[in-house]
Amino acid sequence: MSPSPYMVRVSAPAAKVLDALPEHAADTVWDILAAAAADPFGFPQFDISDDEGADVRYAAVGQLSITFWINRPLRSLTVLNIVWLG
């Protein structure tokens, strides 16, 4: 049995960006966050050998990027930033 997904929280600045996105981009954000909640370390970083800062992750798909922080003890993700180049 796999562990339950992490809870997703969206910071106030990221929520403003999310509210302003076109519907298809917002749907993509939630798809990315669902994948991140299921496997928060599934998005490889530029230097995976460096453990410092390993809990701040960056996921990019096409014109969309999301920066999130993993709170391991609380099993939650906090979305820090969303960038849409549309």
Side-chain angles (χ1 to χ4, degrees):
M1 183 168 157
S2 62
S4 62
Y6 280 50
M7 180 175 31
V8 175
R9 302 169 190 260
V10 180
S11 69
K16 287 180 184 178
V17 173
L18 184 59
D19 287 342
L21 290 176
E23 185 177 351
H24 70 281
D27 290 343
T28 304
V29 167
W30 289 114
D31 290 344
I32 293 169
L33 291 175
D39 182 12
F41 296 98
F43 294 98
Q45 301 305 289
F46 298 112
D47 183 4
I48 58 174
S49 64
D50 182 10
D51 236 9
E52 185 175 327
D55 291 338
V56 175
R57 310 301 274 183
Y58 175 79
V61 176
Q63 298 171 291
L64 180 67
S65 65
I66 301 170
T67 306
F68 59 93
W69 172 61
I70 303 166
N71 184 329
R72 295 181 202 205
L74 295 180
R75 290 192 55 83
S76 69
L77 305 177
T78 301
V79 179
L80 302 173
N81 192 27
I82 300 170
V83 176
W84 168 253
L85 303 174

